[in-house]
């Protein structure tokens, strides 16, 4: 027989034996023997369950078995009085065993409750349940039994001890079942056994008090209690670890507690309750106690709400609201310093690995921050991938030291992922919390560009203001046609023929003069105007090459390269927009090359999808600034590349034998092996051109061959030789 089914067979066999007990004539020796045997076997079954499942802490089960055995011994002793001595004494030696069972059962329940490690809230809720139900128990059972005339004080004491012991079990059950958390089948069977014992004892007391009758249902309650105690021990879950506590927000829970608090006023509507002074005092005391307990519970509830409102659900750290409150509560003389940290590249984790993985990474980062933060610092999560560390009273130098330590911690791999971090610092006495956080955020955005922790200075605000002003002027410049496209030749060696041109944008500002792309392109990227500007450049470049092909024929360049930003690639329908421009200008798709930087496609997703769609049209793809990104070689596997443009940094010192020469040679071999073309950028001297030619480069671009102009000459340019 499988061990996990023993408990079921026990219940089946036990219920069959119980039915047999009721079929045997009442009052006979066979009836008594059957009743006592069921109880004795149940006590032994508990011990058998301990031996079968070997729980980590068997003491609880030994106490339950002892309680069962004590109750059975009481049955045996009472049967001896009744069947052998033909007496029905009360109280008797049997009551000693009956009463001894309750402390053993209660001690077992204490161990069970301790195993669940409930919190203070559970204690208060258990006290509410026990007070409400105990008050009803007093009115209907305890007080009537105690008030009943008895032959002796001992008899009165024993009569009230039974229901009082049941109230003790009731308190223990309330403590167990008001603590939120999972409950095993074994625990539910223990609860059922305790409730059955409580119901049977209560029924026995009431029947003895009011009717003095012998009801079979009472015996059934005691027998079912025996069976449930044993079934709980025989069930495999009796050896399982304590289930983890979870929040319990079921409406039934609120209904139960609300109903219990209504017990005292409800009892006043019972006709015979309230006329007795003792009952009135009990109701008054119970009402006051319930009021105090509910008040304590509400105070705990409000504290929990405040804790939830001031903390981050995912990481358990303080949230932005808590951080702002801490800044508001800082003494006037304090010098609070805030380090605002943004995780670079976190979007990739969510997009590629899923949000659960991203949540796990954030939780791990939170743990690292908490461990690395200086003593007394407040660590908070203030946004999706942004954290803050508040030093309540520190100098700027101390804040920089802390930021450097945090940078080192966060740059270590997290779950085998390498993530960057940008840290902005701000602080000082007398700053409003909103202003302090604004400064830290401005510094953090500056840190994303510099790669190092940045402290806020007024210059950052000036830069932000200038960017905003420049953004507004960009809008006006587009509307007034202040932009123009210029073209820089890309020559083919050894002939020196202009094989293609790169389209570049210039801004002829009416007041500022000629504005460098380095000054306005980042602003256009930030405010989104790069999409409109890029579309205009694309159309203008395609129209121009189509014009050259029509007017100068074979001397026209084969291709025009147009730089495309990450924002353009990410917009839905970008490939369709390019196809429409090609159709309207009459330029063949193979005459257009789209240049993208490694950072534009590093995050994958829509950008790479757009490049595949462009490649399907026949448009060529070039990777600009190749070799300067984080995973240049990896991109060659995911991006449909035709051309790599070797960054100027590898060309500058190409004439001297050094690392740059080795890298430039490795890149030309790599491109040849993959069937790609390679363009060396930034060639400024004939010596550089000759060195690149010797390495095997066929396509060069730089000032040596021509600066960007609106109308390049397409005759042969100065050759390398």
């Amino acid at each position: 027989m499988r061990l996990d089914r023993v408990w079921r067979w026990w219940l089946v066999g036990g219920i069959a034996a119980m039915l047999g007990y009721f079929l045997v004539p009442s009052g006979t020796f066979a009836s008594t023997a059957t009743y006592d045997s069921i109880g004795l076997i149940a006590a032994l079954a508990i011990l058998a369950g301990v031996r079968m499942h070997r729980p980590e802490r068997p003491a609880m089960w030994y106490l339950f078995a002892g309680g069962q055995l004590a109750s059975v011994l009481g049955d045996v002793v009472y049967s001896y009085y009744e069947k052998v001595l033909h007496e029905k004494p009360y109280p008797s030696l049997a009551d000693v065993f009956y009463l001894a069972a309750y402390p053993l059962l209660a001690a077992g329940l204490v161990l069970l409750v301790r195993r669940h490690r409930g919190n203070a809230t559970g204690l208060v809720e258990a006290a509410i349940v026990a007070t409400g139900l105990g008050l009803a128990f007093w009115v209907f059972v305890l007080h009537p039994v105690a008030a009943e005339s008895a032959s002796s004080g001992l008899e009165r004491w024993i009569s009230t001890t039974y229901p009082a012991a049941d109230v003790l079990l009731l308190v223990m059950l309330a403590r167990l079942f008001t603590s939120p958390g999972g409950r095993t089948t074994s625990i539910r069977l223990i609860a059922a056994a305790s409730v059955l014992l409580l119901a049977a004892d209560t029924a026995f007391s009431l029947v003895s008090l009011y009717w003095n009758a012998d009801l079979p249902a009472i015996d059934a309650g005691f027998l079912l209690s025996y069976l449930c105690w044993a079934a709980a021990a025989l069930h495999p879950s009796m050896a399982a670890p304590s289930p983890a506590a979870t929040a319990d927000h079921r409406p039934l829970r609120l209904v139960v507690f609300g109903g219990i608090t209504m017990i005292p006023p409800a009892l006043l509507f019972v006709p015979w309750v309230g006329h007795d002074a003792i009952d009135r005092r009990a109701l008054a005391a119970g009402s006051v106690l319930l009021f105090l307990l509910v008040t304590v519970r509400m105070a705990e509830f409000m504290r929990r709400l405040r804790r939830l409102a001031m903390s981050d659900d995912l990481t358990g750290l303080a949230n932005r609201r808590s951080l702002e409150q801490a800044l508001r509560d800082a003494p006037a003389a304090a010098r609070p310093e805030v380090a605002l940290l943004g995780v670079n590249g976190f979007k990739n984790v969510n997009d590629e690995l899923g949000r659960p993985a991203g949540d796990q990474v954030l939780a791990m980062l939170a743990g690292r921050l908490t461990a690395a933060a200086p003593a007394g610092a407040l660590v908070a999560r203030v946004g999706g991938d942004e954290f803050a560390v508040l030093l309540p009273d520190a100098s700027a130098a101390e804040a920089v030291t802390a930021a450097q330590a945090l940078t080192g911690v966060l740059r270590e791999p997290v779950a085998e992922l390498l993530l960057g971090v940008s840290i902005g610092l701000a602080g000082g006495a007398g700053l409003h919390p909103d202003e302090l956080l604004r400064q830290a955020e401005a510094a953090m955005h500056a840190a994303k560009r510099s790669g190092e922790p940045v402290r806020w200075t007024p210059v950052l605000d000036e830069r932000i203001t200038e960017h905003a002003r420049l953004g507004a002027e960009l809008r006006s410049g587009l509307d007034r046609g202040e932009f123009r496209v210029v073209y820089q030749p890309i020559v083919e060696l050894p002939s020196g023929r202009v094989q293609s041109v790169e389209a570049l944008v210039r801004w002829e500002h009416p007041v500022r003069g000629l504005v460098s792309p380095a000054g306005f392109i980042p602003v256009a990227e930030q405010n989104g105007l790069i999409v409109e500007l890029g579309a205009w450049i694309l159309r203008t470049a395609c129209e121009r090459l189509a014009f050259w092909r029509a007017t100068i024929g074979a001397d026209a360049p084969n291709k025009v390269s147009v730089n495309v930003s990450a924002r353009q690639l990410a917009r839905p329908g970008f490939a369709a927009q390019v196809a429409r421009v090609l159709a309207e200008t009459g330029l063949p798709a193979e005459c257009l090359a789209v240049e993208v930087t490694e950072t534009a496609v590093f995050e994958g997703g829509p950008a790479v999808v757009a490049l595949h769609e462009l490649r399907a049209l026949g448009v060529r793809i070039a990777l600009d600034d190749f070799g300067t990104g984080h995973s240049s070689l990896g991109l060659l596997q995911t991006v449909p590349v035709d051309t790599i443009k070797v960054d100027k940094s590898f060309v500058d010192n190409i004439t001297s034998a050094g690392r740059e020469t080795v890298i430039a040679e490795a890149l030309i071999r790599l491109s040849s092996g993959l069937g790609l073309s390679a363009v060396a950028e930034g060639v400024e001297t004939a010596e550089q051109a000759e060195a690149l030619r010797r390495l095997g480069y066929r396509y060069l671009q730089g000032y040596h061959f021509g600066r960007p102009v609106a109308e390049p000459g397409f005759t042969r340019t100065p050759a390398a030789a």
Side-chain angles (χ1 to χ4, degrees):
M1 182 183 299
R2 290 176 52 180
L3 294 181
D4 59 347
R5 295 180 179 175
V6 170
W7 71 280
R8 289 194 180 97
W9 289 111
W10 162 258
L11 285 177
V12 170
I15 291 174
M18 190 179 73
L19 293 175
Y21 163 75
F22 288 113
L23 294 176
V24 175
S26 178
T28 64
F29 179 79
S31 172
T32 302
T34 302
Y35 186 95
D36 294 344
S37 297
I38 293 174
L40 179 60
I41 295 173
L44 296 176
I46 295 176
L47 299 176
V50 173
R51 185 171 181 81
M52 278 194 303
H53 302 301
R54 300 190 179 278
E56 184 178 349
R57 298 176 180 177
M60 174 181 77
W61 298 100
Y62 290 140
L63 288 169
F64 290 155
Q68 289 284 85
L69 188 59
S71 184
V72 171
L73 288 175
D75 290 335
V76 171
V77 170
Y78 193 80
S79 298
Y80 175 79
Y81 279 118
E82 190 176 33
K83 303 301 178 186
V84 177
L85 301 180
H86 304 289
E87 298 177 359
K88 292 185 177 182
Y90 182 75
S92 68
L93 181 61
D95 291 294
V96 175
F97 292 105
Y98 286 140
L99 292 174
Y102 287 97
L104 294 171
L105 296 177
L109 289 175
V110 168
L111 294 181
L112 178 60
V113 169
R114 287 180 59 188
R115 197 178 76 176
H116 274 245
R117 300 184 185 275
N119 53 23
T121 297
L123 284 172
V124 174
E125 291 180 347
I128 292 173
V129 173
T131 300
L133 297 183
L135 191 59
F137 214 74
W138 164 264
V139 170
F140 294 110
V141 180
L142 286 176
H143 185 210
V145 170
E148 181 71 7
S149 59
S151 58
S152 67
L154 178 62
E155 183 176 347
R156 185 181 298 109
W157 180 82
I158 292 177
S159 297
T160 55
T161 298
Y162 282 115
D166 287 325
V167 171
L168 175 63
L169 297 183
L170 176 66
V171 172
M172 301 309 302
L173 282 175
R175 179 67 182 95
L176 178 63
F177 276 83
T178 53
S179 298
R183 297 176 185 87
T184 63
T185 301
S186 177
I187 291 175
R188 291 189 178 93
L189 287 168
I190 290 174
S194 301
V195 169
L196 286 167
L197 178 60
L198 172 64
D201 270 343
T202 302
F204 180 81
S205 298
L206 292 176
V207 168
S208 300
L209 178 64
Y210 296 110
W211 295 284
N212 196 24
D214 190 9
L215 296 180
I218 297 176
D219 287 341
F222 286 121
L223 291 174
L224 285 173
S225 176
Y226 287 155
L227 295 180
C228 287
W229 286 115
L234 294 172
H235 195 278
S237 64
M238 63 90 77
S242 299
T246 56
D248 190 349
H249 303 295
R250 292 173 295 180
L252 179 60
R253 187 180 181 87
L254 298 176
V255 171
V256 169
F257 286 120
I260 287 173
T261 58
M262 296 303 295
I263 287 178
L267 289 175
L268 294 176
F269 290 93
V270 178
W272 67 86
V273 176
H275 300 292
D276 184 275
I278 296 178
D279 278 346
R280 287 197 299 272
R281 287 195 292 269
L283 286 173
S287 299
V288 171
L289 181 57
L290 275 176
F291 174 79
L292 294 175
L293 290 171
V294 170
T295 301
V296 171
R297 181 64 184 93
M298 289 302 297
E300 292 175 353
F301 180 69
M302 295 304 294
R303 280 198 299 271
R304 183 182 179 193
L305 281 182
R306 176 175 173 79
R307 185 169 61 252
L308 290 174
M310 304 297 280
S311 63
D312 176 58
D313 289 341
L314 175 63
T315 62
L317 299 177
N319 59 13
R320 189 182 189 93
R321 187 182 296 107
S322 181
L323 176 65
E324 292 172 347
Q325 185 65 48
L327 287 170
R328 283 193 292 268
D329 293 342
R335 300 167 300 163
E337 289 282 337
V338 171
L340 194 62
L341 303 91
V343 182
N344 303 333
F346 180 73
K347 183 177 182 296
N348 298 337
V349 179
N350 276 342
D351 291 346
E352 297 176 14
L353 302 180
R355 191 164 296 277
D359 290 347
Q360 183 181 4
V361 169
L362 289 175
M364 294 176 67
L365 289 174
R368 289 188 181 182
L369 277 175
T370 303
L378 173 67
V379 182
R381 181 186 176 209
V382 296
D385 59 358
E386 294 182 359
F387 297 87
V389 177
L390 169 63
L391 306 178
D393 191 8
S395 65
E398 290 171 336
V400 171
T401 301
Q404 291 171 342
L406 295 173
T407 301
V409 167
L410 293 185
R411 283 182 176 170
E412 295 176 3
V414 181
E416 301 182 356
L417 298 172
L418 190 60
L419 301 171
V421 60
S422 302
I423 301 183
L425 299 169
L431 285 174
H432 190 276
D434 293 342
E435 174 62 14
L436 182 55
L437 293 177
R438 186 198 66 78
Q439 292 180 3
E441 187 170 5
M444 184 190 70
H445 290 307
K448 287 183 181 291
R449 295 187 291 270
S450 70
E452 296 294 333
V454 172
R455 184 171 186 82
W456 180 88
T457 63
V459 174
L460 287 180
D461 279 354
E462 294 172 7
R463 188 179 304 164
I464 292 172
T465 303
E466 174 63 17
H467 277 204
R469 185 182 300 114
L470 196 60
E473 294 176 5
L474 266 171
R475 175 71 271 167
S476 300
L478 276 170
D479 294 338
R480 292 196 296 258
E482 296 172 0
F483 292 89
R484 61 187 178 92
V485 177
V486 293
Y487 304 90
Q488 184 172 32
I490 299 173
V491 303
E492 182 180 14
L493 298 183
S495 66
R497 177 182 178 273
V498 177
Q499 186 264 353
S500 60
V501 292
E502 179 180 358
L504 302 168
V505 66
R506 296 293 183 263
W507 184 8
E508 294 179 341
H509 195 282
V511 177
R512 299 173 184 263
L514 189 63
V515 182
S516 167
F520 68 82
I521 291 295
V523 177
E525 287 271 10
Q526 185 177 355
N527 64 16
L529 283 176
I530 193 65
V531 174
E532 184 177 345
L533 179 61
W536 176 79
I537 296 170
L538 174 67
R539 178 174 291 276
T540 302
C542 290
E543 288 176 345
R544 203 62 187 157
L545 182 56
F547 171 77
W548 289 331
R549 284 168 57 87
T551 56
I552 62 176
D555 287 334
N558 295 340
K559 292 194 300 290
V560 61
S561 296
V562 178
N563 292 280
V564 175
S565 72
R567 280 205 178 214
Q568 289 175 275
L569 288 174
R571 286 178 69 87
F574 178 71
Q577 177 191 0
V578 172
R580 187 166 54 254
V581 170
L582 291 173
E584 293 172 356
T585 59
L587 186 69
E590 62 270 17
C591 292
L592 174 64
V594 168
E595 289 193 18
V596 295
T597 61
E598 296 172 4
T599 54
V601 294
F602 176 71
E603 294 186 0
V608 174
V609 172
L611 291 181
H612 280 281
E613 292 173 345
L614 289 172
R615 194 66 184 81
L617 293 174
V619 175
R620 304 302 178 184
I621 309 297
L623 269 184
D624 200 8
D625 303 331
F626 187 79
T628 60
H630 295 292
S631 58
S632 302
L633 297 180
L635 289 177
L636 296 180
Q637 296 179 313
T638 58
V639 176
V641 179
D642 298 290
T643 302
I644 60 173
K645 302 194 71 175
V646 178
D647 188 70
K648 182 180 184 297
S649 61
F650 302 121
V651 174
D652 288 340
N653 297 315
I654 197 69
T655 56
S656 60
R659 296 170 61 89
E660 291 83 358
T661 303
V662 174
I663 294 174
E665 184 177 7
L667 291 178
I668 190 63
R669 290 183 178 178
L670 172 68
S671 63
S672 299
L674 295 177
L676 308 176
S677 61
V679 177
E681 297 183 289
V683 181
E684 298 183 350
T685 66
E687 291 77 15
Q688 290 175 335
E690 172 60 20
L692 290 165
R693 186 191 65 79
R694 287 197 303 267
L695 291 177
Y697 282 87
R698 290 184 58 205
Y699 303 106
L700 307 181
Q701 178 182 0
Y703 286 174
H704 176 62
F705 301 101
R707 291 178 179 269
V709 293
E711 289 290 339
F714 297 121
T715 56
R716 295 180 187 275
T717 60

